[in-house]
């Protein structure tokens, strides 16, 4: 190839995508939103894409980490349907920032077995993002795209740091946790705590994931996918939906700590902010079939925000629409990211 000739889109696609990551050390005490203190915190971050491109932060659910897209293993990662080459958040054209959540199972500060760890708020995650931006010497973001818990964090960031982000796209997220969601999350946490006390944390997490799968998806999807006829296995009846709920997830890149699940599940339910204070232009996407974040809650959120629009979608995947509906999410995300100055 003649180096004097400008690169075409075809040649650019063959070039490696820039990637940088690190762990920001935060020495001293950090007073958290719920007044507890975190000492010598660590925040793991990742940038994928050209440094000169518009900076967009992508945030997934509580099971996710900073590896939303893996350039070495396309299709892997926590949000591969949204982040990656040819996806709506394309690292060939955008510089995409992602984080390991405080309290999560990644490399940011989080709970360890037998050690106390403070309660974490979505505002604390927002503060962590602001600290990373300071560390990277970036004044602001073109947009934050957040799904589920990530959408909650995006809202908290926009309320606390309105001058540091130009637009939001939140998916399956509201300004507070619905009481029914809190009820199911509480059952999950009781299961995991009981399993920890019994020395069977992995089994507890498996049960918690099964509860999540049953709630995140819709009755319509289960009716379409799973016949009610059971088969005998190991001298007992096993239903097709049961096999699905307890199947191993090959996409998980590392084990998830039970203590991290407890921390971030609690953070989901503690989430509460004042929507009327969020002036950042926001596109809020809601699935009509979402059982955890009902459409009525997202409608109420948008009604209280000074500059927000609602995009309703229909998805048999329910709450998991933020993971499973890239075709329906492309236009709302692209519109939010592209409308930012």
């Amino acid at each position: 190839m003649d180096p004097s000739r400008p690169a075409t889109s075809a040649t650019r696609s063959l070039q490696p995508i820039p990637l940088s990551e690190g762990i920001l050390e935060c020495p001293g005490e950090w007073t958290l939103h719920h007044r507890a203190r975190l000492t010598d915190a660590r925040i793991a971050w990742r940038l994928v894409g050209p440094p000169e491109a518009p900076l967009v932060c992508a945030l997934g659910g509580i099971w996710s980490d900073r590896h939303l897209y893996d350039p070495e293993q396309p299709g892997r990662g926590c949000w591969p349907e949204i982040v990656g080459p040819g996806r709506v958040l394309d690292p060939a054209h955008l510089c995409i920032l992602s984080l390991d959540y405080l309290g999560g199972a990644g490399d940011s500060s989080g709970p360890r077995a037998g050690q106390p760890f403070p309660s974490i708020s979505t505002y604390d995650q927002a503060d962590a993002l602001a600290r990373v931006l300071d560390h990277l010497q970036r004044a602001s973001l073109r947009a934050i795209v957040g799904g589920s818990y990530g959408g909650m964090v995006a809202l908290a960031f926009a309320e606390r740091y309105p001058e540091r982000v130009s637009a939001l796209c939140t998916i399956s997220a509201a300004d507070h946790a619905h009481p029914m969601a809190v009820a199911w999350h509480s059952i999950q946490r009781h299961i995991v705590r009981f399993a920890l006390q019994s020395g069977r944390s992995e089994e507890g997490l498996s049960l918690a994931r099964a509860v999540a799968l049953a709630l995140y998806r819709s009755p319509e999807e289960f009716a379409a996918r799973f016949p009610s006829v059971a088969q005998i296995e190991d001298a007992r009846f096993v239903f097709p939906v049961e096999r699905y709920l307890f199947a191993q997830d090959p996409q998980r890149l590392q084990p998830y700590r039970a203590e991290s699940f407890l921390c971030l599940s609690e953070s989901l339910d503690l989430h509460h902010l004042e929507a009327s204070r969020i002036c950042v232009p926001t596109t809020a996407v809601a699935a009509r079939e979402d059982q955890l974040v009902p459409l009525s809650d997202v409608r109420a959120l948008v009604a209280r925000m000074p500059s927000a629009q609602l995009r309703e979608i229909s998805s048999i995947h329910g709450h998991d629409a933020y993971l499973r509906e890239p075709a329906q999410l492309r236009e709302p995300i692209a519109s939010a990211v592209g409308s930012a100055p």
Side-chain angles (χ1 to χ4, degrees):
M1 182 186 302
D2 183 353
S4 66
R5 296 179 60 186
T8 66
S9 58
T11 59
R12 279 196 300 268
S13 66
L14 297 177
Q15 295 174 354
I17 297 174
L19 184 153
S20 60
E21 59 185 344
I23 297 178
L24 173 62
E25 304 284 351
C26 305
E29 285 195 339
W30 178 349
T31 301
L32 301 172
H33 179 71
H34 297 296
R35 312 315 302 168
R37 290 181 171 84
L38 186 60
T39 303
D40 297 333
R42 297 155 50 92
I43 309 166
W45 56 271
R46 193 178 222 224
L47 277 175
V48 182
E52 69 279 3
L55 182 62
V56 174
C57 180
L59 300 170
I62 66 168
W63 300 95
S64 72
D65 55 29
R66 69 186 187 275
H67 301 93
L68 301 181
Y69 158 68
D70 189 340
E72 296 181 354
Q73 299 184 71
R76 299 297 295 270
C78 301
W79 213 0
E81 296 296 331
I82 298 297
V83 182
R87 305 303 189 187
V88 62
L89 296 183
D90 191 334
H93 309 291
L94 298 169
C95 187
I96 301 166
L97 173 63
S98 55
L99 308 176
D100 286 353
Y101 289 127
L102 294 174
D107 293 320
S108 293
S109 294
R112 299 295 184 269
Q115 299 179 8
F117 194 79
S119 295
I120 296 293
S121 165
T122 50
Y123 286 116
D124 300 322
Q125 310 289 8
D127 291 342
L129 174 55
R131 290 185 182 217
V132 170
L133 289 175
D134 291 342
H135 171 69
L136 297 174
Q137 299 182 330
R138 303 295 290 263
S140 62
L141 295 154
R142 167 170 284 203
I144 303 175
V145 178
S148 188
Y149 185 67
M152 295 177 173
V153 174
L155 292 166
F157 186 91
E159 181 186 345
R160 186 160 283 187
Y161 302 99
E163 74 287 353
R164 304 199 72 170
V165 61
S166 297
L168 303 182
C169 183
T170 62
I171 310 157
S172 305
D175 55 337
H176 66 281
H178 191 279
M180 183 59 72
V182 175
W184 283 108
H185 293 157
S186 298
I187 292 171
Q188 287 178 297
R189 291 193 292 271
H190 276 274
I191 290 171
V192 172
R193 289 192 187 102
F194 180 79
L196 275 171
Q197 293 167 1
S198 306
R200 303 168 71 176
S201 62
E202 290 187 8
E203 293 175 66
L205 276 180
S206 178
L207 286 168
R209 284 198 186 102
V211 172
L213 285 172
L215 292 171
Y216 291 0
R217 306 301 179 86
S218 71
E220 293 80 6
E221 180 187 12
F222 277 32
R225 289 182 60 183
F226 303 111
S228 59
V229 177
Q231 296 179 343
I232 295 179
E233 295 181 11
D234 297 327
R236 73 177 183 87
F237 283 108
V238 177
F239 292 88
V241 69
E242 177 184 2
R243 190 178 297 108
Y244 162 74
L245 292 176
F246 293 98
Q248 294 297 315
D249 183 359
Q251 294 296 320
R252 288 230 55 85
L253 302 181
Q254 60 181 4
Y256 201 91
R257 288 192 296 271
E259 295 84 358
S260 292
F261 172 80
L262 292 172
C263 180
L264 292 187
S265 172
E266 178 190 67
S267 185
L268 275 170
D269 293 342
L270 290 172
H271 172 72
H272 195 282
L273 48 80
E274 182 48 63
S276 63
R277 297 177 184 171
I278 303 173
C279 299
V280 176
T282 299
T283 300
V285 183
R288 300 183 188 98
E289 296 81 1
D290 192 336
Q291 301 181 88
L292 286 184
V293 183
L295 176 59
S296 57
D297 280 6
V298 184
R299 284 176 174 166
L301 164 73
V302 170
R304 292 194 297 272
M305 294 175 69
S307 181
Q309 60 176 322
L310 174 64
R311 298 289 188 92
E312 295 184 20
I313 64 173
S314 181
S315 172
I316 62 171
H317 301 300
H319 186 72
D320 269 1
Y322 83 97
L323 292 168
R324 304 289 182 176
E325 295 288 356
Q328 293 198 70
L329 296 177
R330 174 173 284 274
E331 194 280 329
I333 293 175
S335 177
V337 173
S339 66

